[in-house]
Every structure is written in C-alpha cells, then in structure tokens.
Amino acid sequence: MSDDGARAVSVIGFIGSVFSPWYRWSGRRDPANHCCINVATYGPGGRFTMTDRGRAALRLSPGKFEVGPSSMRWDGARLIVEIDEISTPHLTRLRGRIVLTPSAITDVELPLTEDGAHVWRPFAPVAKIEVELDRPGWAWSGHGYLDANFGTRALEADFSHWCWGRFPTASGGALAFYDAEMRDGSRFDAAFAFGADGSARAVEAPPPVRFARSLWAVKRETRADPGFRPRQVMSMLEAPFYTRAVVETEIGGERLTGVHEALDLDRFRGPWLMPMLAMRVPRRAGWTFRPGAAPD
C-alpha cells in the first residue's frame, strides 16, 4: 500500500498456478509446466497481468525465481521484482521494478491442515516497498508484506471458504488473521501479532465480524471490536470467487487499515468458472531465455 493510501500493488509467484484454468484442465499433474508471476496494480491506471507459462519459462536458482521475462531475486536483504508483462484485457505492456525491504524475517510456519498439506509462511509481515513502474504516477513507496503458501492438494479439496487480513499497527508491527471454513465443516482460526523485529505471537482476537459482500457477492469477514463493523476503503481485485480490498477495522480500540482477501472455493470448483478465467489468464507454453542471461 502506498503511504498516501491512493495506490496498491500485489505480486504473486506461482509454481503450479493455483487459479489458472489451464493448470486445472491439465489435471494439475505438472506444476512446473504452469508457472506465473502475477502482478496487479490498484488505483488510477491499474493493470492486471497473469500469464500461465510452460516449463521452458521457469528457471530456478538459490537466489532467483524467473518466469519468462519477469523475475524475483533475493539479494540478502531485499526482494527485488523485475516486471515485464502484458496486461489483460488492455493488452498493454507493464514494465518496472518493485523492491521490498523487510524489517526482519520471522520463523513462523503454520500448518493450515492437521496433515500439513497446506502451510502458511509469513516471511516478512512488516516491510517497506518501493514501486517504479513505467506508467504515470506509478513511482511510490509505502508499507509492504511478504508471505508464501505451500500445498500438496488442491485448495478446494480442503477449504470451502477463507478470509485473510494483514493490518499494520501504530507500534510498527502488524496483525494478521486467517479464518477458514474447512471442507469437513470445521473451522480454522488463527491470529498473530508480529513485531518489526520479526517476533511473532499468537493472540486472542475479537470474533470475526461480517461486513459488506464484494461486487460479486463473495461473503467477507474479519476481526473487529464489538460494535464496530469493518468497511472497504479501496477495491482491489474483484472476481466471482475471490476479492481483495483495502479494509478498515478496529482492534483493541485502534483503527487499522490493511489488505483483506476472501476466497470462495465452493464457487471456484464449479466448471462454469474456468472459461471465464481463461479470458484473463492467457496460456503461453513456449519460452527461450536469451543466451548469456544466466541465473544468479
């Protein structure tokens, strides 16, 4: 999120592009053949890029993750993202660099299922971000976040719905909430307080509170003090099964503004959705890296 609250960006690197119809239609047998660096920018002139690429476009090394023309690399203190993608439906190129500098790295790794088939790894809940993209107004700095999710089963096999949120606090830390409805009817609920020094502790949080559904009527909830109803401050991503937004809530009497996501996996597993997604997620199976452009 930018310091002035007017713009935001999200970047997701996939090996096994979870939300790709091409990956699903393939039977999900070869994750490396469906990789992607998804970039979405929010605010004036916002763009969305998500190209499902084949195995030839994936190159991995200890310090670098490359998918076709875009990459992420770790220089020991920062995550540097180089972007060169085509946005949809605009069919315009988005180029630039995003640098995320964590204040510290946590040691938290949280299994989301009893058998560890899904794991959440919040590497850097507190970070600074610098954005320099080749579009007017898209050079800014702000507050950032870095995490990862790992899984050995399809999300919809174990989850029916989840909500997640990360909210920076006045103390310089952040609160994160993970609230999920499991496929077997049980719930998974987690609340963490993170410090700028990388410390982390599970905390007691107020109960989840429902707030306005998304434009596609995806239900949403997050934690909030009794009597306070969270509200959307800025729309980010709107899809029939998934919504991302900047949301304001109140925890322990403190007003907090952060990024919130809700995912309806009952909708996602419906076959009717896949042709719609194919319009926003093009497939490019082939790729050739330039000679001499070796990974770090």
Side-chain angles (χ1 to χ4, degrees):
M1 298 182 295
S2 63
D3 286 330
D4 64 4
R7 299 177 190 270
V9 64
S10 69
V11 181
I12 309 175
F14 292 98
I15 299 178
S17 191
V18 177
F19 302 124
S20 165
W22 311 100
Y23 186 37
R24 181 161 165 182
W25 287 331
S26 76
R28 294 175 170 146
R29 291 181 295 271
D30 187 359
N33 198 40
H34 295 275
C35 51
C36 176
I37 292 182
N38 161 230
V39 182
T41 63
Y42 310 107
R47 291 291 184 268
F48 179 87
T49 78
M50 191 172 183
T51 300
D52 182 304
R53 299 188 185 275
R55 177 182 290 276
L58 177 64
R59 190 157 64 177
L60 299 172
S61 65
K64 195 171 186 180
F65 170 60
E66 294 179 88
V67 180
S70 299
S71 67
M72 302 180 183
R73 61 184 172 90
W74 180 252
D75 73 355
R78 303 175 302 166
L79 181 71
I80 300 170
V81 184
E82 304 282 357
I83 299 164
D84 186 355
E85 297 287 337
I86 299 294
S87 67
T88 58
H90 313 87
L91 299 181
T92 56
R93 189 170 293 277
L94 182 67
R95 291 190 178 99
R97 170 181 283 200
I98 297 171
V99 178
L100 182 135
T101 306
S103 64
I105 302 295
T106 77
D107 59 2
V108 175
E109 187 170 289
L110 182 67
L112 303 179
T113 54
E114 289 186 2
D115 63 358
H118 304 274
V119 175
W120 174 49
R121 177 71 169 91
F123 288 107
V126 180
K128 293 294 293 182
I129 188 172
E130 298 170 84
V131 178
E132 292 186 11
L133 303 179
D134 64 346
R135 307 197 66 81
W138 279 94
W140 53 265
S141 60
H143 197 282
Y145 168 89
L146 172 65
D147 76 355
N149 286 276
F150 307 93
T152 57
R153 283 195 298 265
L155 290 172
E156 64 270 24
D158 293 301
F159 301 93
S160 60
H161 187 277
W162 83 35
C163 290
W164 170 92
R166 190 231 22 149
F167 299 90
T169 61
S171 65
L175 291 172
F177 307 117
Y178 225 127
D179 300 295
E181 298 171 14
M182 311 303 290
R183 184 64 59 196
D184 63 6
S186 63
R187 282 190 63 96
F188 173 89
D189 301 296
F192 280 88
F194 296 100
D197 59 357
S199 60
R201 57 188 176 90
V203 295
E204 289 290 332
V209 176
R210 291 276 183 95
F211 62 102
R213 288 176 178 254
S214 71
L215 288 178
W216 284 92
V218 175
K219 69 178 180 181
R220 300 188 288 186
E221 63 181 30
T222 192
R223 306 303 182 95
D225 288 344
F228 187 90
R229 191 179 190 211
R231 69 181 186 93
Q232 177 176 297
V233 175
M234 181 172 69
S235 174
M236 295 174 71
L237 181 64
E238 293 283 358
F241 67 99
Y242 184 52
T243 177
R244 181 185 297 130
V246 178
V247 167
E248 181 187 61
T249 189
E250 183 180 277
I251 305 291
E254 182 182 352
R255 291 287 179 95
L256 305 174
T257 301
V259 174
H260 177 277
E261 298 177 341
L263 176 61
D264 187 329
L265 287 152
D266 290 339
R267 287 188 185 179
F268 178 67
R269 67 177 179 170
W272 60 272
L273 187 64
M274 295 301 107
M276 294 177 62
L277 290 178
M279 301 295 292
R280 297 300 302 274
V281 184
R283 169 71 175 166
R284 300 289 183 267
W287 182 261
T288 302
F289 285 102
R290 298 191 311 274
D296 291 351

